[in-house]
Structures are given as C-alpha cells and as structure tokens.
Amino acid sequence: MNLAYWRRAFMVLIGVVSCANAWAGSVGFQELTTLDERGAPIKLAIWYPSSSHADTVSLGWTTQEVAMNGALSEGRHPLIVISHGTGGTYFSHHDTATTLARAGFIAAAVMHPGDNAQDQSRRFFILERPGHIRRALDYLLQDWPGHAQVDAGRIGIFGFSAGGFTALVNIGGQPDMERIIPFCKEHSDHFACQLIAQESIAGRAAHAPMTEQLQTWDDRIKAAVIAAPALGFTFAHRLQRVTIPVQLWRAEDDWILPHPWYAEEVRRALPQAPKYHLVSHAGHFDFLAPCTPVMAQRLPDICSSATGFDRPAFHRAFNEEVVAFFQRTLEVEGR
C-alpha cells in the first residue's frame, strides 16, 4: 500500500475522532423566569452544553434528551436568543435550540408575555416584543447563574414569523407601523389583516409609535437568522441601520405571509444582501419543530405539511445551516 493510501486513511481516522468530539457531552436544560419592563414575567427555556448525564424528559408536548438543570460545560459559550411566532411557545424551535447546544452554543428561547399559546392578551402589542429580548439578554449576561460563561462578544438572534419581526427591530429595523391599516385594506385576506379585523384593539396597536426605539436596537447582537418575518412590508426602506450578517428564510408555499410582501420586502430593504434561502414546497409552519403524534392530532393546521414535504428531513438540513451560519458569522470554532 502506498503513502497516499495511508494519508487518506489517517485523514478518515482524524475525521472520525473529530466527529466524536463534536458530539461529546449532553444538552443541559433549564426553565427560568425574569421580568419585563411592566413587571410581567418573561419565561425562558435555555439549552446549553452540559457535562451532566441526560435523560429522556417530557417537556410540554415534546420528549427531549436533556440533563435537567445539568452543569454547564467548562469554557465560554456563544449565545443565541430565540423569538417564537404569535401564539407560539419557547418550545416552538426546540430542535434548533438543541442542535445549537450540541454545537457549543447556549440557546435561550423567550416566551413572549401576552403573545403565546397560553395567553394572547397582548398579541397586537408587537412592539413590546423587542423589549422582551433585551430584558432576556440583560438577565442572561448579568443574573443567570451561568452568566460568567456567556461569551458576550458572540451573541446572535433567531426569529420566526412575529419573532422575525422582533429580531429585525432588535438589530436596528424601524418598521413603519402606519402602513398596516392601508395595506390591510388592499390585502384583507392576509393572516395579520384577518387578526386585525377580529380585534377592536387592533387599530390602536397597529398605529403604536416606535417608543424607545434606541433602547430596542441592541448592538450586543452580532448576527441574525430570520425565518418568514411577519409584517415584512413595514420594513421597506427602513433597515438601513442593519449592518450585521443576516440569514433569511422564505417558504415557497407560505399562505400565511404570502410572497412578495414579507420576506421579499426584508430582502430588498437590507443594505447588505442576506444569505437567502427559498425552501421549495414548504409552508409557513414548516419552520416549526416537527410535531409529536399528540401535537399532530391536536394542532393539524400547524403540524400538517404538503404532500411530499418531509419536515423532519428539512429540519435536519435547516438546523445545520443555522448552526453553520452562526459559527461563521460569530467566528465560533466547530466542536
């Protein structure tokens, strides 16, 4: 056997060892609470690299392999904060959070007060959401028991739907909320416009001013993944302040936020071209974690995908792309 053969064999062996190291350890998990600016509780779900033993645990309607309140692995870890969509929960993207944790990130998902599966009393106060993210970051960097191991120079954000809107404001977007009512007069069939039509409070919320805009723009965030952003049309010509890298995702068959008024408007408005992904045959809710059988039975509208679209397979590729993007843009070495 020649030298080239042994060189190839050695490289394969190195690759096997590297992969083993990349997935060493387990994923720790905690549920904690901090407060928003009104004193309302903000619940957080936090996944992180752990040196503790993991067990199969029932969390909400999911089953996850995690070390409950396990020890945080040694070293400093980059942080990704996650913002769910309207009516979602901090488990909406648990598979993405777990994948991030296995890659060495701390992934902290926010349960937005008044805009979640249990409480939708403030779902039209969408401009409160960026403040929730800011308060969560304050807590994670200052008061969370593991705060000393958070790499404050490597923070990213992941946002889906209303969470995408939230993330865009947090990274410098200035949405024109006055555009909503005129837009809905022309597009009354759109999901957001149907919600507005159902609620007497909607007109007031839709015209809410951009209060404390400088406070919601958070320059601690260095990279963003945005999936199917809600109210994308409000950001037309209003993303000039966004200078960080953005990965932008659009579902081809998104009838909740139909093309071209949402993700496309964001893509056009960003001053630097985002890393753009168009997912063929995907629907809006395909960005949510694949559903358990119980969820599929109780929430068919959210859990159903188009015939032939494999949500679990998509999520394996999606999560890899998200992790790779944050590793690259936050200059994080692969584990």
PDB file of all heavy atoms in Angstrom, residues 139-162:
ATOM      1  N   TYR A 139     -30.698  39.690  31.563  1.00  0.00           N
ATOM      2  CA  TYR A 139     -30.712  38.637  32.585  1.00  0.00           C
ATOM      3  C   TYR A 139     -29.618  37.605  32.329  1.00  0.00           C
ATOM      4  O   TYR A 139     -28.872  37.221  33.251  1.00  0.00           O
ATOM      5  CB  TYR A 139     -32.081  37.962  32.620  1.00  0.00           C
ATOM      6  CG  TYR A 139     -32.114  36.727  33.485  1.00  0.00           C
ATOM      7  CD1 TYR A 139     -32.202  36.831  34.874  1.00  0.00           C
ATOM      8  CD2 TYR A 139     -32.038  35.452  32.913  1.00  0.00           C
ATOM      9  CE1 TYR A 139     -32.213  35.693  35.677  1.00  0.00           C
ATOM     10  CE2 TYR A 139     -32.052  34.314  33.710  1.00  0.00           C
ATOM     11  CZ  TYR A 139     -32.135  34.447  35.088  1.00  0.00           C
ATOM     12  OH  TYR A 139     -32.137  33.320  35.866  1.00  0.00           O
ATOM     13  N   LEU A 140     -29.511  37.148  31.092  1.00  0.00           N
ATOM     14  CA  LEU A 140     -28.558  36.099  30.767  1.00  0.00           C
ATOM     15  C   LEU A 140     -27.117  36.546  30.947  1.00  0.00           C
ATOM     16  O   LEU A 140     -26.244  35.740  31.291  1.00  0.00           O
ATOM     17  CB  LEU A 140     -28.784  35.621  29.328  1.00  0.00           C
ATOM     18  CG  LEU A 140     -30.091  34.857  29.104  1.00  0.00           C
ATOM     19  CD1 LEU A 140     -30.449  34.828  27.628  1.00  0.00           C
ATOM     20  CD2 LEU A 140     -29.984  33.435  29.653  1.00  0.00           C
ATOM     21  N   LEU A 141     -26.865  37.827  30.730  1.00  0.00           N
ATOM     22  CA  LEU A 141     -25.499  38.348  30.829  1.00  0.00           C
ATOM     23  C   LEU A 141     -25.140  38.835  32.230  1.00  0.00           C
ATOM     24  O   LEU A 141     -23.954  39.003  32.539  1.00  0.00           O
ATOM     25  CB  LEU A 141     -25.308  39.491  29.830  1.00  0.00           C
ATOM     26  CG  LEU A 141     -25.361  39.094  28.352  1.00  0.00           C
ATOM     27  CD1 LEU A 141     -25.339  40.336  27.464  1.00  0.00           C
ATOM     28  CD2 LEU A 141     -24.201  38.172  28.002  1.00  0.00           C
ATOM     29  N   GLN A 142     -26.158  39.055  33.074  1.00  0.00           N
ATOM     30  CA  GLN A 142     -25.873  39.640  34.378  1.00  0.00           C
ATOM     31  C   GLN A 142     -26.293  38.777  35.562  1.00  0.00           C
ATOM     32  O   GLN A 142     -25.578  38.702  36.565  1.00  0.00           O
ATOM     33  CB  GLN A 142     -26.562  41.005  34.490  1.00  0.00           C
ATOM     34  CG  GLN A 142     -26.106  42.014  33.464  1.00  0.00           C
ATOM     35  CD  GLN A 142     -26.983  43.251  33.428  1.00  0.00           C
ATOM     36  OE1 GLN A 142     -27.727  43.542  34.368  1.00  0.00           O
ATOM     37  NE2 GLN A 142     -26.922  43.998  32.335  1.00  0.00           N
ATOM     38  N   ASP A 143     -27.462  38.138  35.472  1.00  0.00           N
ATOM     39  CA  ASP A 143     -28.042  37.479  36.638  1.00  0.00           C
ATOM     40  C   ASP A 143     -28.175  35.963  36.532  1.00  0.00           C
ATOM     41  O   ASP A 143     -28.334  35.285  37.558  1.00  0.00           O
ATOM     42  CB  ASP A 143     -29.424  38.078  36.944  1.00  0.00           C
ATOM     43  CG  ASP A 143     -29.348  39.570  37.226  1.00  0.00           C
ATOM     44  OD1 ASP A 143     -28.436  39.982  37.953  1.00  0.00           O
ATOM     45  OD2 ASP A 143     -30.198  40.311  36.703  1.00  0.00           O
ATOM     46  N   TRP A 144     -28.183  35.429  35.332  1.00  0.00           N
ATOM     47  CA  TRP A 144     -28.272  33.977  35.169  1.00  0.00           C
ATOM     48  C   TRP A 144     -27.081  33.318  35.858  1.00  0.00           C
ATOM     49  O   TRP A 144     -25.942  33.818  35.767  1.00  0.00           O
ATOM     50  CB  TRP A 144     -28.289  33.627  33.676  1.00  0.00           C
ATOM     51  CG  TRP A 144     -28.406  32.167  33.378  1.00  0.00           C
ATOM     52  CD1 TRP A 144     -29.289  31.288  33.912  1.00  0.00           C
ATOM     53  CD2 TRP A 144     -27.603  31.416  32.453  1.00  0.00           C
ATOM     54  NE1 TRP A 144     -29.105  30.031  33.386  1.00  0.00           N
ATOM     55  CE2 TRP A 144     -28.075  30.073  32.494  1.00  0.00           C
ATOM     56  CE3 TRP A 144     -26.553  31.736  31.603  1.00  0.00           C
ATOM     57  CZ2 TRP A 144     -27.519  29.066  31.707  1.00  0.00           C
ATOM     58  CZ3 TRP A 144     -26.002  30.734  30.817  1.00  0.00           C
ATOM     59  CH2 TRP A 144     -26.481  29.409  30.871  1.00  0.00           C
ATOM     60  N   PRO A 145     -27.279  32.228  36.586  1.00  0.00           N
ATOM     61  CA  PRO A 145     -26.166  31.577  37.284  1.00  0.00           C
ATOM     62  C   PRO A 145     -24.975  31.254  36.385  1.00  0.00           C
ATOM     63  O   PRO A 145     -23.839  31.223  36.858  1.00  0.00           O
ATOM     64  CB  PRO A 145     -26.803  30.309  37.851  1.00  0.00           C
ATOM     65  CG  PRO A 145     -28.231  30.693  38.073  1.00  0.00           C
ATOM     66  CD  PRO A 145     -28.575  31.607  36.935  1.00  0.00           C
ATOM     67  N   GLY A 146     -25.209  31.037  35.096  1.00  0.00           N
ATOM     68  CA  GLY A 146     -24.108  30.726  34.185  1.00  0.00           C
ATOM     69  C   GLY A 146     -23.574  31.922  33.425  1.00  0.00           C
ATOM     70  O   GLY A 146     -22.833  31.746  32.442  1.00  0.00           O
ATOM     71  N   HIS A 147     -23.928  33.145  33.849  1.00  0.00           N
ATOM     72  CA  HIS A 147     -23.616  34.336  33.052  1.00  0.00           C
ATOM     73  C   HIS A 147     -22.122  34.527  32.805  1.00  0.00           C
ATOM     74  O   HIS A 147     -21.712  35.050  31.766  1.00  0.00           O
ATOM     75  CB  HIS A 147     -24.204  35.584  33.709  1.00  0.00           C
ATOM     76  CG  HIS A 147     -23.479  36.035  34.939  1.00  0.00           C
ATOM     77  ND1 HIS A 147     -23.780  35.539  36.185  1.00  0.00           N
ATOM     78  CD2 HIS A 147     -22.470  36.929  35.120  1.00  0.00           C
ATOM     79  CE1 HIS A 147     -23.004  36.117  37.082  1.00  0.00           C
ATOM     80  NE2 HIS A 147     -22.183  36.951  36.466  1.00  0.00           N
ATOM     81  N   ALA A 148     -21.276  34.098  33.742  1.00  0.00           N
ATOM     82  CA  ALA A 148     -19.836  34.297  33.581  1.00  0.00           C
ATOM     83  C   ALA A 148     -19.276  33.472  32.427  1.00  0.00           C
ATOM     84  O   ALA A 148     -18.187  33.769  31.918  1.00  0.00           O
ATOM     85  CB  ALA A 148     -19.110  33.938  34.877  1.00  0.00           C
ATOM     86  N   GLN A 149     -20.028  32.456  31.998  1.00  0.00           N
ATOM     87  CA  GLN A 149     -19.563  31.610  30.900  1.00  0.00           C
ATOM     88  C   GLN A 149     -20.209  31.958  29.563  1.00  0.00           C
ATOM     89  O   GLN A 149     -20.000  31.263  28.575  1.00  0.00           O
ATOM     90  CB  GLN A 149     -19.823  30.140  31.235  1.00  0.00           C
ATOM     91  CG  GLN A 149     -18.916  29.601  32.343  1.00  0.00           C
ATOM     92  CD  GLN A 149     -19.183  28.140  32.621  1.00  0.00           C
ATOM     93  OE1 GLN A 149     -19.753  27.781  33.655  1.00  0.00           O
ATOM     94  NE2 GLN A 149     -18.784  27.281  31.696  1.00  0.00           N
ATOM     95  N   VAL A 150     -20.975  33.043  29.530  1.00  0.00           N
ATOM     96  CA  VAL A 150     -21.539  33.521  28.267  1.00  0.00           C
ATOM     97  C   VAL A 150     -20.505  34.406  27.576  1.00  0.00           C
ATOM     98  O   VAL A 150     -19.972  35.337  28.187  1.00  0.00           O
ATOM     99  CB  VAL A 150     -22.833  34.321  28.494  1.00  0.00           C
ATOM    100  CG1 VAL A 150     -23.362  34.856  27.160  1.00  0.00           C
ATOM    101  CG2 VAL A 150     -23.885  33.453  29.172  1.00  0.00           C
ATOM    102  N   ASP A 151     -20.228  34.112  26.330  1.00  0.00           N
ATOM    103  CA  ASP A 151     -19.313  34.950  25.540  1.00  0.00           C
ATOM    104  C   ASP A 151     -20.105  36.147  25.021  1.00  0.00           C
ATOM    105  O   ASP A 151     -20.783  36.061  23.998  1.00  0.00           O
ATOM    106  CB  ASP A 151     -18.725  34.139  24.392  1.00  0.00           C
ATOM    107  CG  ASP A 151     -17.600  34.869  23.666  1.00  0.00           C
ATOM    108  OD1 ASP A 151     -17.538  36.120  23.793  1.00  0.00           O
ATOM    109  OD2 ASP A 151     -16.802  34.213  22.992  1.00  0.00           O
ATOM    110  N   ALA A 152     -20.018  37.271  25.745  1.00  0.00           N
ATOM    111  CA  ALA A 152     -20.839  38.440  25.424  1.00  0.00           C
ATOM    112  C   ALA A 152     -20.487  39.068  24.088  1.00  0.00           C
ATOM    113  O   ALA A 152     -21.263  39.865  23.549  1.00  0.00           O
ATOM    114  CB  ALA A 152     -20.699  39.481  26.543  1.00  0.00           C
ATOM    115  N   GLY A 153     -19.356  38.723  23.527  1.00  0.00           N
ATOM    116  CA  GLY A 153     -18.980  39.252  22.218  1.00  0.00           C
ATOM    117  C   GLY A 153     -19.491  38.423  21.065  1.00  0.00           C
ATOM    118  O   GLY A 153     -19.299  38.795  19.902  1.00  0.00           O
ATOM    119  N   ARG A 154     -20.156  37.300  21.373  1.00  0.00           N
ATOM    120  CA  ARG A 154     -20.675  36.400  20.331  1.00  0.00           C
ATOM    121  C   ARG A 154     -22.135  36.076  20.633  1.00  0.00           C
ATOM    122  O   ARG A 154     -22.455  35.002  21.141  1.00  0.00           O
ATOM    123  CB  ARG A 154     -19.827  35.127  20.253  1.00  0.00           C
ATOM    124  CG  ARG A 154     -18.414  35.372  19.734  1.00  0.00           C
ATOM    125  CD  ARG A 154     -17.646  34.065  19.590  1.00  0.00           C
ATOM    126  NE  ARG A 154     -16.412  34.251  18.850  1.00  0.00           N
ATOM    127  CZ  ARG A 154     -15.241  34.547  19.403  1.00  0.00           C
ATOM    128  NH1 ARG A 154     -15.148  34.671  20.721  1.00  0.00           N
ATOM    129  NH2 ARG A 154     -14.163  34.704  18.662  1.00  0.00           N
ATOM    130  N   ILE A 155     -23.013  37.014  20.313  1.00  0.00           N
ATOM    131  CA  ILE A 155     -24.438  36.857  20.556  1.00  0.00           C
ATOM    132  C   ILE A 155     -25.188  36.959  19.229  1.00  0.00           C
ATOM    133  O   ILE A 155     -24.948  37.868  18.428  1.00  0.00           O
ATOM    134  CB  ILE A 155     -24.957  37.934  21.527  1.00  0.00           C
ATOM    135  CG1 ILE A 155     -24.300  37.772  22.896  1.00  0.00           C
ATOM    136  CG2 ILE A 155     -26.481  37.860  21.666  1.00  0.00           C
ATOM    137  CD1 ILE A 155     -24.688  38.834  23.896  1.00  0.00           C
ATOM    138  N   GLY A 156     -26.101  36.026  19.006  1.00  0.00           N
ATOM    139  CA  GLY A 156     -26.939  36.044  17.818  1.00  0.00           C
ATOM    140  C   GLY A 156     -28.403  35.950  18.197  1.00  0.00           C
ATOM    141  O   GLY A 156     -28.758  35.723  19.358  1.00  0.00           O
ATOM    142  N   ILE A 157     -29.276  36.114  17.207  1.00  0.00           N
ATOM    143  CA  ILE A 157     -30.713  36.013  17.441  1.00  0.00           C
ATOM    144  C   ILE A 157     -31.342  35.204  16.313  1.00  0.00           C
ATOM    145  O   ILE A 157     -30.933  35.293  15.149  1.00  0.00           O
ATOM    146  CB  ILE A 157     -31.370  37.406  17.552  1.00  0.00           C
ATOM    147  CG1 ILE A 157     -32.830  37.288  18.009  1.00  0.00           C
ATOM    148  CG2 ILE A 157     -31.256  38.196  16.254  1.00  0.00           C
ATOM    149  CD1 ILE A 157     -33.453  38.612  18.420  1.00  0.00           C
ATOM    150  N   PHE A 158     -32.331  34.391  16.692  1.00  0.00           N
ATOM    151  CA  PHE A 158     -33.131  33.609  15.747  1.00  0.00           C
ATOM    152  C   PHE A 158     -34.586  34.020  15.946  1.00  0.00           C
ATOM    153  O   PHE A 158     -35.083  34.019  17.080  1.00  0.00           O
ATOM    154  CB  PHE A 158     -32.964  32.119  16.035  1.00  0.00           C
ATOM    155  CG  PHE A 158     -33.878  31.216  15.238  1.00  0.00           C
ATOM    156  CD1 PHE A 158     -33.424  30.560  14.103  1.00  0.00           C
ATOM    157  CD2 PHE A 158     -35.203  31.013  15.616  1.00  0.00           C
ATOM    158  CE1 PHE A 158     -34.260  29.723  13.373  1.00  0.00           C
ATOM    159  CE2 PHE A 158     -36.044  30.186  14.897  1.00  0.00           C
ATOM    160  CZ  PHE A 158     -35.580  29.538  13.771  1.00  0.00           C
ATOM    161  N   GLY A 159     -35.272  34.374  14.860  1.00  0.00           N
ATOM    162  CA  GLY A 159     -36.666  34.774  14.979  1.00  0.00           C
ATOM    163  C   GLY A 159     -37.507  34.217  13.854  1.00  0.00           C
ATOM    164  O   GLY A 159     -37.106  34.247  12.681  1.00  0.00           O
ATOM    165  N   PHE A 160     -38.692  33.715  14.207  1.00  0.00           N
ATOM    166  CA  PHE A 160     -39.635  33.167  13.230  1.00  0.00           C
ATOM    167  C   PHE A 160     -40.936  33.944  13.270  1.00  0.00           C
ATOM    168  O   PHE A 160     -41.486  34.203  14.356  1.00  0.00           O
ATOM    169  CB  PHE A 160     -39.910  31.691  13.526  1.00  0.00           C
ATOM    170  CG  PHE A 160     -41.145  31.143  12.857  1.00  0.00           C
ATOM    171  CD1 PHE A 160     -41.183  30.956  11.488  1.00  0.00           C
ATOM    172  CD2 PHE A 160     -42.281  30.834  13.597  1.00  0.00           C
ATOM    173  CE1 PHE A 160     -42.333  30.468  10.862  1.00  0.00           C
ATOM    174  CE2 PHE A 160     -43.421  30.334  12.993  1.00  0.00           C
ATOM    175  CZ  PHE A 160     -43.455  30.157  11.618  1.00  0.00           C
ATOM    176  N   SER A 161     -41.459  34.329  12.104  1.00  0.00           N
ATOM    177  CA  SER A 161     -42.752  34.987  11.962  1.00  0.00           C
ATOM    178  C   SER A 161     -42.777  36.280  12.785  1.00  0.00           C
ATOM    179  O   SER A 161     -41.980  37.181  12.533  1.00  0.00           O
ATOM    180  CB  SER A 161     -43.868  34.021  12.342  1.00  0.00           C
ATOM    181  OG  SER A 161     -45.114  34.459  11.847  1.00  0.00           O
ATOM    182  N   ALA A 162     -43.649  36.396  13.786  1.00  0.00           N
ATOM    183  CA  ALA A 162     -43.609  37.583  14.639  1.00  0.00           C
ATOM    184  C   ALA A 162     -42.260  37.692  15.335  1.00  0.00           C
ATOM    185  O   ALA A 162     -41.790  38.791  15.656  1.00  0.00           O
ATOM    186  CB  ALA A 162     -44.730  37.537  15.676  1.00  0.00           C
TER     187      ALA A 162
END
